[in-house]
Each structure stands twice: as C-alpha cells, then as structure tokens.
Amino acid sequence: MNDAARGAGSVAAAVAALRGARFFEGVPADILASLASEAEFIEIAAGETLFHEGDGSSDLYVLRSGAVAILRRQHDGSNLRVGDIFSGETVGEMAMLTGAARTATAIALRDSELVRLTREAVGRLVARDPEIALAIARVLAQRLAAANTATRGVARPRVFAILPHHALEARRVATFVRGLTGALRVFGAVAAIDGAHRESPRGVVQRAEAQNDYTLLIGDGGDPQWSAFCARQADLALLVADARMEPSTSPAWGAPHAPHSRHELQRELVLLGGQSPERRRAAGWRDAAQHDFLHHAESGADLPRVARLITRQATTLVLSGGGARGFAHLGVVDALMEAGLALDMFGGSSMGAIVAAAYAGGWPRETVHDRLRRAFVHGRPLSDPAFPVVALFRGRKVERLLEQAFGDRTIEDLPLPYFCVSSSLTRAAPAVHRAGLLRHWLRASIAIPGVLPPVVENGVVHVDGGVMDNLPIDAATALLRGPVIGVDASGEEEFRHVDPASPPLWQRLLGGRKAGDPTIMEILYRVGTVGSVSTAQRDEEAATLVLRPPVGRIGLLDWRSFDRCVAIGYDYARRMIAERPELFAGLRRAPGDSALAPEGRAAL
C-alpha cells in the first residue's frame, strides 16, 4: 500500500472513531474529517499509563478499543478507581479545553487503541473554522450537565478470557465454554473467539466487542502466548481447572499483568466437578492460581450462577445475628426461593453466619431445618458452664455441634460463595472471612463476649461479629457482585425479657431477679452487640433491600421458639413479596430445570 492510500485509510479510520464517540455527537461530517486529518493513532499495552494525575499534557483521546481505568490520588497516597472508559468514550476533554493539569491518572486495563487529538491541532482548526469551537462547546456543555447528575462508575466486565489449566481435557473446556455461552445469552449477545483467529486476533476482538454484549476469548492450555494475548484483551480472566486435580499452576495462566500499576487483571478460578467435600482441594488452589474469587461448577446447572456472578448481576443474601431470632432467616430464605429468586452468594454475622453457611453448603431445605433444630433446640449449645474468668461457658459443646454439622470443610469448599464476619478486638474492626476452616470462623463469629470464650488466631482476638457489624452489608457490596439483600433479625426495636413467668427460686434468692427481668446472658448479648445498632441507617443505604421480620418479642436465647420464629420469617417475607413486588423487580430469577438445554445439565 502506498503512503497516500495508507493516509486515506488512517483518516477514514479516525473519522469512524470520532463519529462513534459520544463526545462528538452532532458535530458535522466535514468538521470531523478536518479533526481526523490531525489525529494520531496510538496503542498502549495492558497496565501501561496513558497519563498521570498532575501531568501538563492536554491532549484529547478517543478510545477505539480496549478499556482504561481512571484513578484519583487519595490523601493517604493510595489511588481510588473512580471510573472505567470503554470504546467510544473520550479521555482528557477537560484538560484539552482548559489547558489545566490532569486531575486523574489513566491506566490501560486491556491492550487499547486510541485516537489522539492535540490541543494545538484542535486550536488550529478552531482558528480556521469557529464552528468547531461551537460544536465542541455544545457537546461539552451537555457532558458537564450530565456530570452534575450522575457519576461514571466502574463498569461490568464485558470481555472474558477463559484460561484452561494445561492438564484439563479439551473436551471439558469445550463443554464449559458452550454452557457459559448459553448462560450469558440470557443477558445479551455473546461471541466466542478461540485460537483459530491467531493470525489477526486484534481486529477480530474489536469487531466482536462492537457487535456483542459479551465476548469470550478462549485460551489454550498448551499455548501460553495465545493465552497471554487473551488475558491482555480481557476485563476478567477465568482460570479453569478440575477440582479433583492436585493443585498446581499452569503456564497458560501466566501472572497478573501490570503489577506496577496496582490494578492487576481480576483473576477468578472456576473449579469443575468434585462437588463432594472429600474430593475437593479448593484451599490448595489459593497459592497455585492466585485468584481473587472462586466458583464451583459441578454441572452445567451451575453455570447460570457463574454467569450472574461474573457479570455483576448476582444476588447476595446477608443474614444478621440475633440469637434465637436468627431462626427467622430460614423462613425468609424459604419464601425467597419459593418466589424463584436466584440466591447466588451468602454471608452473615453470628447466628446469621451459621444459617448462611448451611445454604452456601448446598444443604436441602429439610436438612437445614433438621440440623439447626437438632443443634440448637435439642443440642443445648450453652450447657457447659465454666468458672466465669473468661466467659460463662466453656464453648466446647458449641464446638462439637459445629464439627458435627460442618466437619472439616473449608469456606473455599462450599458450593456457593460465602463469607462470615467476626469482630477483631485487637484491631478494633470487623474481620471478613472468605477462606479457612469453616467451623473455626463460625465459632469466632458467634463468640458472644462474656458468654463464650473468644477465638484467638495469630495473636488476634476475635469475638461475635455482631459486636461491630451485625448485618455486614459492606462486606457484600465490596465484592461488586450485584444486588444485596439484607435480612435483619436482631429485633432491635425492643430489648426486654418478655417471659412473664416467675424466675427459679435460686435466681430470686441469689440474684434478686424478678419476673420480666432479662437474664445475664441476654444482657451480655445486648451489651456485646449494641454497638452495631447505629449502623441500621447505613445498611439501608448500602443494600438493595433490607428485610426486617418482626421477631422482637422472641427471646434472644429462646431456642425453643424455633418453629414459631421460622414461621414469622416465612409469613413476613411472603407478605413483602406479594404486597411490595417492586422491591424485588430488579432481582434475577433462577432458571428451572426445564429452562436448561440438555448440555446445561451435563456434568462438567
């Protein structure tokens, strides 16, 4: 191709890029052509910096392909990611107009191609044709008006790199890709690109991204170079392995790119098969895969959940503490599931942590009810009194009951994503647990100060999660997975012992306790959790929806009210779903078996 032809092609490509940018909407075609003649194409690799906050450069960039993160420096020196820029958007328009220093840093999240317009070039055109200034001013005024009513946030991932472990059979990779593609089609058009496009991959990816809502770039476990290319184009990398394999790294996975930018590619591990705990080795993959999030997929029926989680459209259910009042969570979950809501991730504090672990563990409804009734109603967890130096009870009975229920399962081995929260007295902050021995961290999350001994781990003292965060909504929203439903069963609207019966004679003689007075355990529980009462308003603002079943008249330690409390939660949730359907309108529904294609039910 001669220089003239190449130049004409570049101008045409620049015109197309400018025409596709919202910043230049309404600008006449001849003016766009004039701007394009002054434009320059640049490419930056994933992790490279386009410009730094404080730079004096005032060029304007139009993103033709790829993605760019916008970061702003905080008072402590850290960088806050305040937005993402995708194809068709501009970067640096304010600096171009005002000539002021850059107010943020721009870093490429993926290999990106941009069209650069210098301030001087735009200035020369403005001097030649004032209509350019009017057109740009008009568009900029619209952008500024929009900026006053909305902020540009971190967008959902749209391009995914599928990076299979080199030891994973190609047949299983293909089955996984087909199933995930079908699950993503619920949300929009999907393109899948494999190694057959090695010769001209960049153009294929650009066209696929422009024409589809989601793009899957299928890596090759035997070709690290192609897999690395896929990772550089992606918003999110899915590392795929067999749950039954001995954990190991893979050349196809490489390392997270751009470590110098502190904005590495998000890496999420998908373990196929191995649903039974004895066949799982999820905890061992932590070092091998260096992943940020973990998915389990035993069959194609699990892939709709994976699709919701990776596209940030999953629903997380967060359950509060509340002692015996927490049994209301079972009724609420029953009602939500009956309504067809897809509950994709569970978390909780104190009693809510135990109930959430049961559901994240994949227990059927009957099993959840039977095991929790047996443990708390018949098991009498607080029946091993101690000389009250550290606590009123030794906690060994609680530990045995937790071991009977959950065994040696780790949090990573649970079929559904899960977290629980304890309160770190050492660090004076909530501690979020997403890994480790499940029963160990459940024991920490229910360690009511003065009632049960604390859990000490590496010199850090952990007590009941309700002390600092009884409804850990923030822990869920920080994961950026989609809507968050909170269920507050604390019954904080009233604190009083409601049993009018006269207390035992020994309590009246030794302790002076009268009918209607709270017990020492109820007082300790209230003292231990009262600090998180003030977070109720914050929870309302952070969550998509907070449900508060009316359990205030159930005693905090009245385990015998199990069935009554479950019924209260169930009736309340069903009434809310029937009377306030708008509250649940934006939540995803779980597909029934009939909605899954035959391959969607196949083992992975």
Side-chain angles (χ1 to χ4, degrees):
M1 181 184 295
N2 59 39
D3 291 342
R6 186 181 298 109
S10 297
V11 171
V15 168
L18 297 180
R19 184 181 295 117
R22 286 185 287 274
F23 184 80
F24 292 104
E25 285 179 1
V27 175
D30 58 332
I31 296 180
L32 283 182
S34 297
L35 285 171
S37 66
E38 298 276 350
E40 175 188 3
F41 284 93
I42 65 169
E43 294 182 355
I44 56 174
E48 289 186 359
T49 300
L50 181 63
F51 53 74
H52 291 93
E53 183 175 346
D55 283 355
S57 172
S58 55
D59 295 341
L60 173 70
Y61 299 90
V62 178
L63 189 60
R64 192 181 183 205
S65 65
V68 173
I70 304 300
L71 294 83
R72 192 158 288 147
R73 192 179 302 116
Q74 303 301 291
H75 294 299
D76 60 1
S78 64
N79 286 323
L80 175 66
R81 185 167 162 184
V82 296
D84 292 343
I85 305 297
F86 290 95
S87 178
E89 297 185 307
T90 54
V91 189
E93 59 273 5
M94 287 302 297
M96 183 208 68
L97 188 69
T98 65
R102 300 288 187 189
T103 59
T105 296
I107 294 177
L109 294 172
R110 295 156 29 190
D111 286 356
S112 300
E113 184 178 21
L114 304 98
V115 177
R116 179 167 63 190
L117 293 167
T118 66
R119 187 166 186 256
E120 292 74 20
V122 175
R124 285 194 298 271
L125 292 172
V126 168
R128 207 166 61 227
D129 188 347
E131 287 187 12
I132 295 177
L134 293 175
I136 293 177
R138 183 169 57 252
V139 173
L140 186 58
Q142 294 170 353
R143 285 282 297 269
L144 290 174
N148 289 331
T149 58
T151 58
R152 181 162 52 194
V154 178
R156 294 172 179 168
R158 294 182 57 233
V159 180
F160 305 95
I162 310 298
L163 306 180
H165 193 281
H166 64 277
L168 191 62
E169 300 172 17
R171 171 187 59 82
R172 297 182 68 190
V173 176
T175 301
F176 169 75
V177 170
R178 283 196 303 271
L180 184 61
T181 300
L184 286 170
R185 285 197 176 116
V186 173
F187 310 129
V190 184
I193 299 172
D194 59 22
H197 300 89
R198 284 179 175 86
E199 297 305 318
S200 57
R202 184 73 64 83
V204 172
V205 173
Q206 289 178 1
R207 287 192 295 274
E209 187 177 359
Q211 297 169 7
N212 294 274
D213 298 288
Y214 300 101
T215 302
L216 302 181
L217 305 178
I218 318 304
D220 185 337
D223 188 345
Q225 186 174 357
W226 167 251
S227 294
F229 170 82
C230 294
R232 290 197 308 272
Q233 315 311 311
D235 303 318
L236 175 68
L238 292 178
L239 318 181
V240 187
D242 187 334
R244 293 158 292 191
M245 290 169 47
E246 188 67 32
S248 63
T249 190
S250 175
W253 293 351
H257 67 57
H260 62 279
S261 72
R262 290 187 287 175
H263 287 271
E264 303 176 352
L265 176 66
Q266 180 88 3
R267 293 156 58 100
E268 302 189 1
L269 176 66
V270 182
L271 290 180
L272 306 182
Q275 194 74 350
S276 59
E278 64 274 9
R279 294 186 298 163
R280 281 188 156 172
R281 301 172 178 177
W285 287 96
R286 200 179 310 139
D287 293 332
Q290 300 179 48
H291 57 273
D292 304 295
F293 198 86
L294 175 64
H295 306 268
H296 286 286
E298 183 180 23
S299 74
D302 296 314
L303 295 181
R305 180 183 70 249
V306 175
R308 291 189 294 269
L309 285 163
I310 65 176
T311 60
R312 310 305 192 245
Q313 300 180 72
T315 298
T316 301
L317 191 67
V318 180
L319 308 179
S320 77
R325 297 169 180 174
F327 295 143
H329 294 315
L330 281 69
V332 171
V333 174
D334 287 349
L336 295 177
M337 289 184 170
E338 282 182 12
L341 292 182
L343 303 178
D344 301 304
M345 182 163 61
F346 289 85
S349 185
S350 196
M351 176 60 80
I354 293 178
V355 176
Y359 286 106
W363 295 1
R365 174 195 177 280
E366 296 76 14
T367 303
V368 175
H369 285 242
D370 291 346
R371 288 189 182 179
L372 293 184
R373 180 187 287 107
R374 192 161 57 242
F376 287 94
V377 179
H378 306 302
R380 300 176 61 227
L382 299 179
S383 58
D384 55 349
F387 190 77
V389 175
V390 176
L392 293 176
F393 298 93
R394 292 184 176 90
R396 294 174 186 168
K397 186 69 175 290
V398 170
E399 291 167 2
R400 283 198 300 272
L401 291 171
L402 289 173
E403 185 174 8
Q404 290 170 11
F406 298 102
D408 290 330
R409 245 184 169 179
T410 64
I411 292 176
E412 300 97 312
D413 279 333
L414 297 176
L416 273 64
Y418 168 83
F419 67 87
C420 66
V421 172
S422 66
S423 298
S424 169
L425 297 185
T426 304
R427 296 170 178 155
V432 180
H433 309 291
R434 293 178 54 210
L437 186 63
L438 176 61
R439 59 182 165 86
H440 176 74
W441 291 120
L442 288 177
R443 170 65 178 80
S445 189
I446 61 172
I448 306 169
V451 176
L452 291 173
V455 170
V456 181
E457 179 79 8
N458 296 325
V460 178
V461 180
H462 297 269
V463 297
D464 194 290
V467 171
M468 296 180 182
D469 199 350
N470 199 44
L471 184 62
I473 297 294
D474 287 350
T477 57
L479 295 174
L480 299 174
R481 295 291 153 170
V484 176
I485 301 176
V487 184
D488 184 358
S490 61
E492 294 294 357
E493 66 274 6
E494 48 185 303
F495 174 66
R496 57 191 178 92
H497 188 70
V498 296
D499 185 358
S502 179
L505 178 62
W506 68 269
Q507 291 187 10
R508 284 181 280 150
L509 292 176
L510 297 180
R513 180 172 172 242
K514 304 183 294 295
D517 286 348
T519 66
I520 185 173
M521 286 191 293
E522 289 174 322
I523 293 172
L524 287 172
Y525 183 89
R526 175 65 173 187
V527 169
T529 60
V530 72
S532 61
V533 174
S534 60
T535 63
Q537 182 61 38
R538 184 195 67 189
D539 296 337
E540 290 277 6
E541 295 172 354
T544 307
L545 171 65
V546 176
L547 302 174
R548 290 193 166 89
V551 291
R553 298 188 69 81
I554 301 289
L556 290 167
L557 301 174
D558 184 7
W559 311 120
R560 294 170 298 178
S561 292
F562 181 94
D563 292 318
R564 178 186 167 201
C565 208
V566 171
I568 290 173
Y570 179 75
D571 292 342
Y572 165 80
R574 286 204 59 181
R575 187 171 66 253
M576 290 293 290
I577 293 169
E579 296 177 359
R580 301 291 306 278
E582 72 278 4
L583 298 177
F584 304 87
L587 305 177
R588 292 289 176 183
R589 305 282 163 167
D593 286 342
S594 61
L596 295 172
E599 61 270 19
R601 294 187 288 270
L604 296 171

mmCIF file with all atom_site columns, all heavy atoms in Angstrom, residues 130-142:
data_model
loop_
_atom_site.group_PDB
_atom_site.id
_atom_site.type_symbol
_atom_site.label_atom_id
_atom_site.label_alt_id
_atom_site.label_comp_id
_atom_site.label_asym_id
_atom_site.label_entity_id
_atom_site.label_seq_id
_atom_site.pdbx_PDB_ins_code
_atom_site.Cartn_x
_atom_site.Cartn_y
_atom_site.Cartn_z
_atom_site.occupancy
_atom_site.B_iso_or_equiv
_atom_site.pdbx_formal_charge
_atom_site.auth_seq_id
_atom_site.auth_comp_id
_atom_site.auth_asym_id
_atom_site.auth_atom_id
_atom_site.pdbx_PDB_model_num
ATOM 1  N N   . PRO A 1 130 ? -14.510 28.632 13.261 1.00 0.00 ? 130 PRO A N   1
ATOM 2  C CA  . PRO A 1 130 ? -15.102 28.806 14.592 1.00 0.00 ? 130 PRO A CA  1
ATOM 3  C C   . PRO A 1 130 ? -16.246 27.850 14.888 1.00 0.00 ? 130 PRO A C   1
ATOM 4  O O   . PRO A 1 130 ? -16.586 27.629 16.050 1.00 0.00 ? 130 PRO A O   1
ATOM 5  C CB  . PRO A 1 130 ? -15.592 30.261 14.564 1.00 0.00 ? 130 PRO A CB  1
ATOM 6  C CG  . PRO A 1 130 ? -14.773 30.925 13.510 1.00 0.00 ? 130 PRO A CG  1
ATOM 7  C CD  . PRO A 1 130 ? -14.522 29.874 12.476 1.00 0.00 ? 130 PRO A CD  1
ATOM 8  N N   . GLU A 1 131 ? -16.851 27.249 13.850 1.00 0.00 ? 131 GLU A N   1
ATOM 9  C CA  . GLU A 1 131 ? -17.950 26.325 14.098 1.00 0.00 ? 131 GLU A CA  1
ATOM 10 C C   . GLU A 1 131 ? -17.491 25.113 14.911 1.00 0.00 ? 131 GLU A C   1
ATOM 11 O O   . GLU A 1 131 ? -18.277 24.488 15.626 1.00 0.00 ? 131 GLU A O   1
ATOM 12 C CB  . GLU A 1 131 ? -18.563 25.856 12.771 1.00 0.00 ? 131 GLU A CB  1
ATOM 13 C CG  . GLU A 1 131 ? -19.385 26.927 12.067 1.00 0.00 ? 131 GLU A CG  1
ATOM 14 C CD  . GLU A 1 131 ? -20.097 26.355 10.853 1.00 0.00 ? 131 GLU A CD  1
ATOM 15 O OE1 . GLU A 1 131 ? -20.107 25.101 10.728 1.00 0.00 ? 131 GLU A OE1 1
ATOM 16 O OE2 . GLU A 1 131 ? -20.631 27.136 10.067 1.00 0.00 ? 131 GLU A OE2 1
ATOM 17 N N   . ILE A 1 132 ? -16.184 24.780 14.774 1.00 0.00 ? 132 ILE A N   1
ATOM 18 C CA  . ILE A 1 132 ? -15.665 23.659 15.556 1.00 0.00 ? 132 ILE A CA  1
ATOM 19 C C   . ILE A 1 132 ? -15.780 23.968 17.043 1.00 0.00 ? 132 ILE A C   1
ATOM 20 O O   . ILE A 1 132 ? -16.203 23.136 17.847 1.00 0.00 ? 132 ILE A O   1
ATOM 21 C CB  . ILE A 1 132 ? -14.197 23.369 15.177 1.00 0.00 ? 132 ILE A CB  1
ATOM 22 C CG1 . ILE A 1 132 ? -14.125 22.908 13.728 1.00 0.00 ? 132 ILE A CG1 1
ATOM 23 C CG2 . ILE A 1 132 ? -13.595 22.330 16.103 1.00 0.00 ? 132 ILE A CG2 1
ATOM 24 C CD1 . ILE A 1 132 ? -12.722 22.669 13.239 1.00 0.00 ? 132 ILE A CD1 1
ATOM 25 N N   . ALA A 1 133 ? -15.401 25.190 17.419 1.00 0.00 ? 133 ALA A N   1
ATOM 26 C CA  . ALA A 1 133 ? -15.481 25.575 18.831 1.00 0.00 ? 133 ALA A CA  1
ATOM 27 C C   . ALA A 1 133 ? -16.912 25.525 19.328 1.00 0.00 ? 133 ALA A C   1
ATOM 28 O O   . ALA A 1 133 ? -17.190 25.067 20.451 1.00 0.00 ? 133 ALA A O   1
ATOM 29 C CB  . ALA A 1 133 ? -14.901 26.967 19.025 1.00 0.00 ? 133 ALA A CB  1
ATOM 30 N N   . LEU A 1 134 ? -17.850 26.001 18.509 1.00 0.00 ? 134 LEU A N   1
ATOM 31 C CA  . LEU A 1 134 ? -19.249 25.993 18.919 1.00 0.00 ? 134 LEU A CA  1
ATOM 32 C C   . LEU A 1 134 ? -19.761 24.558 19.087 1.00 0.00 ? 134 LEU A C   1
ATOM 33 O O   . LEU A 1 134 ? -20.480 24.239 20.041 1.00 0.00 ? 134 LEU A O   1
ATOM 34 C CB  . LEU A 1 134 ? -20.099 26.736 17.892 1.00 0.00 ? 134 LEU A CB  1
ATOM 35 C CG  . LEU A 1 134 ? -19.849 28.248 17.785 1.00 0.00 ? 134 LEU A CG  1
ATOM 36 C CD1 . LEU A 1 134 ? -20.669 28.843 16.645 1.00 0.00 ? 134 LEU A CD1 1
ATOM 37 C CD2 . LEU A 1 134 ? -20.208 28.924 19.103 1.00 0.00 ? 134 LEU A CD2 1
ATOM 38 N N   . ALA A 1 135 ? -19.371 23.686 18.140 1.00 0.00 ? 135 ALA A N   1
ATOM 39 C CA  . ALA A 1 135 ? -19.832 22.305 18.202 1.00 0.00 ? 135 ALA A CA  1
ATOM 40 C C   . ALA A 1 135 ? -19.278 21.603 19.444 1.00 0.00 ? 135 ALA A C   1
ATOM 41 O O   . ALA A 1 135 ? -19.998 20.923 20.178 1.00 0.00 ? 135 ALA A O   1
ATOM 42 C CB  . ALA A 1 135 ? -19.411 21.556 16.945 1.00 0.00 ? 135 ALA A CB  1
ATOM 43 N N   . ILE A 1 136 ? -17.977 21.801 19.689 1.00 0.00 ? 136 ILE A N   1
ATOM 44 C CA  . ILE A 1 136 ? -17.367 21.155 20.851 1.00 0.00 ? 136 ILE A CA  1
ATOM 45 C C   . ILE A 1 136 ? -17.927 21.734 22.145 1.00 0.00 ? 136 ILE A C   1
ATOM 46 O O   . ILE A 1 136 ? -18.207 21.005 23.099 1.00 0.00 ? 136 ILE A O   1
ATOM 47 C CB  . ILE A 1 136 ? -15.831 21.308 20.802 1.00 0.00 ? 136 ILE A CB  1
ATOM 48 C CG1 . ILE A 1 136 ? -15.278 20.517 19.619 1.00 0.00 ? 136 ILE A CG1 1
ATOM 49 C CG2 . ILE A 1 136 ? -15.198 20.847 22.097 1.00 0.00 ? 136 ILE A CG2 1
ATOM 50 C CD1 . ILE A 1 136 ? -13.784 20.662 19.429 1.00 0.00 ? 136 ILE A CD1 1
ATOM 51 N N   . ALA A 1 137 ? -18.114 23.047 22.187 1.00 0.00 ? 137 ALA A N   1
ATOM 52 C CA  . ALA A 1 137 ? -18.659 23.666 23.399 1.00 0.00 ? 137 ALA A CA  1
ATOM 53 C C   . ALA A 1 137 ? -20.058 23.146 23.692 1.00 0.00 ? 137 ALA A C   1
ATOM 54 O O   . ALA A 1 137 ? -20.420 22.916 24.860 1.00 0.00 ? 137 ALA A O   1
ATOM 55 C CB  . ALA A 1 137 ? -18.686 25.181 23.232 1.00 0.00 ? 137 ALA A CB  1
ATOM 56 N N   . ARG A 1 138 ? -20.844 22.962 22.632 1.00 0.00 ? 138 ARG A N   1
ATOM 57 C CA  . ARG A 1 138 ? -22.205 22.465 22.827 1.00 0.00 ? 138 ARG A CA  1
ATOM 58 C C   . ARG A 1 138 ? -22.191 21.048 23.411 1.00 0.00 ? 138 ARG A C   1
ATOM 59 O O   . ARG A 1 138 ? -22.907 20.735 24.363 1.00 0.00 ? 138 ARG A O   1
ATOM 60 C CB  . ARG A 1 138 ? -22.948 22.491 21.494 1.00 0.00 ? 138 ARG A CB  1
ATOM 61 C CG  . ARG A 1 138 ? -24.402 22.054 21.595 1.00 0.00 ? 138 ARG A CG  1
ATOM 62 C CD  . ARG A 1 138 ? -25.160 22.363 20.302 1.00 0.00 ? 138 ARG A CD  1
ATOM 63 N NE  . ARG A 1 138 ? -24.530 21.732 19.143 1.00 0.00 ? 138 ARG A NE  1
ATOM 64 C CZ  . ARG A 1 138 ? -23.862 22.384 18.200 1.00 0.00 ? 138 ARG A CZ  1
ATOM 65 N NH1 . ARG A 1 138 ? -23.743 23.701 18.267 1.00 0.00 ? 138 ARG A NH1 1
ATOM 66 N NH2 . ARG A 1 138 ? -23.325 21.740 17.177 1.00 0.00 ? 138 ARG A NH2 1
ATOM 67 N N   . VAL A 1 139 ? -21.348 20.193 22.853 1.00 0.00 ? 139 VAL A N   1
ATOM 68 C CA  . VAL A 1 139 ? -21.272 18.815 23.334 1.00 0.00 ? 139 VAL A CA  1
ATOM 69 C C   . VAL A 1 139 ? -20.704 18.774 24.756 1.00 0.00 ? 139 VAL A C   1
ATOM 70 O O   . VAL A 1 139 ? -21.183 18.040 25.623 1.00 0.00 ? 139 VAL A O   1
ATOM 71 C CB  . VAL A 1 139 ? -20.404 17.961 22.380 1.00 0.00 ? 139 VAL A CB  1
ATOM 72 C CG1 . VAL A 1 139 ? -20.184 16.571 22.958 1.00 0.00 ? 139 VAL A CG1 1
ATOM 73 C CG2 . VAL A 1 139 ? -21.069 17.887 21.020 1.00 0.00 ? 139 VAL A CG2 1
ATOM 74 N N   . LEU A 1 140 ? -19.674 19.602 25.008 1.00 0.00 ? 140 LEU A N   1
ATOM 75 C CA  . LEU A 1 140 ? -19.074 19.617 26.340 1.00 0.00 ? 140 LEU A CA  1
ATOM 76 C C   . LEU A 1 140 ? -20.064 20.112 27.384 1.00 0.00 ? 140 LEU A C   1
ATOM 77 O O   . LEU A 1 140 ? -20.113 19.604 28.505 1.00 0.00 ? 140 LEU A O   1
ATOM 78 C CB  . LEU A 1 140 ? -17.824 20.504 26.336 1.00 0.00 ? 140 LEU A CB  1
ATOM 79 C CG  . LEU A 1 140 ? -16.999 20.504 27.631 1.00 0.00 ? 140 LEU A CG  1
ATOM 80 C CD1 . LEU A 1 140 ? -16.551 19.094 27.973 1.00 0.00 ? 140 LEU A CD1 1
ATOM 81 C CD2 . LEU A 1 140 ? -15.805 21.425 27.496 1.00 0.00 ? 140 LEU A CD2 1
ATOM 82 N N   . ALA A 1 141 ? -20.895 21.088 27.010 1.00 0.00 ? 141 ALA A N   1
ATOM 83 C CA  . ALA A 1 141 ? -21.909 21.576 27.947 1.00 0.00 ? 141 ALA A CA  1
ATOM 84 C C   . ALA A 1 141 ? -22.885 20.459 28.314 1.00 0.00 ? 141 ALA A C   1
ATOM 85 O O   . ALA A 1 141 ? -23.294 20.321 29.477 1.00 0.00 ? 141 ALA A O   1
ATOM 86 C CB  . ALA A 1 141 ? -22.664 22.747 27.328 1.00 0.00 ? 141 ALA A CB  1
ATOM 87 N N   . GLN A 1 142 ? -23.232 19.645 27.322 1.00 0.00 ? 142 GLN A N   1
ATOM 88 C CA  . GLN A 1 142 ? -24.117 18.512 27.605 1.00 0.00 ? 142 GLN A CA  1
ATOM 89 C C   . GLN A 1 142 ? -23.430 17.526 28.542 1.00 0.00 ? 142 GLN A C   1
ATOM 90 O O   . GLN A 1 142 ? -24.052 16.986 29.457 1.00 0.00 ? 142 GLN A O   1
ATOM 91 C CB  . GLN A 1 142 ? -24.510 17.833 26.290 1.00 0.00 ? 142 GLN A CB  1
ATOM 92 C CG  . GLN A 1 142 ? -25.364 18.710 25.374 1.00 0.00 ? 142 GLN A CG  1
ATOM 93 C CD  . GLN A 1 142 ? -25.529 18.093 23.989 1.00 0.00 ? 142 GLN A CD  1
ATOM 94 O OE1 . GLN A 1 142 ? -24.910 17.083 23.668 1.00 0.00 ? 142 GLN A OE1 1
ATOM 95 N NE2 . GLN A 1 142 ? -26.354 18.728 23.176 1.00 0.00 ? 142 GLN A NE2 1
#
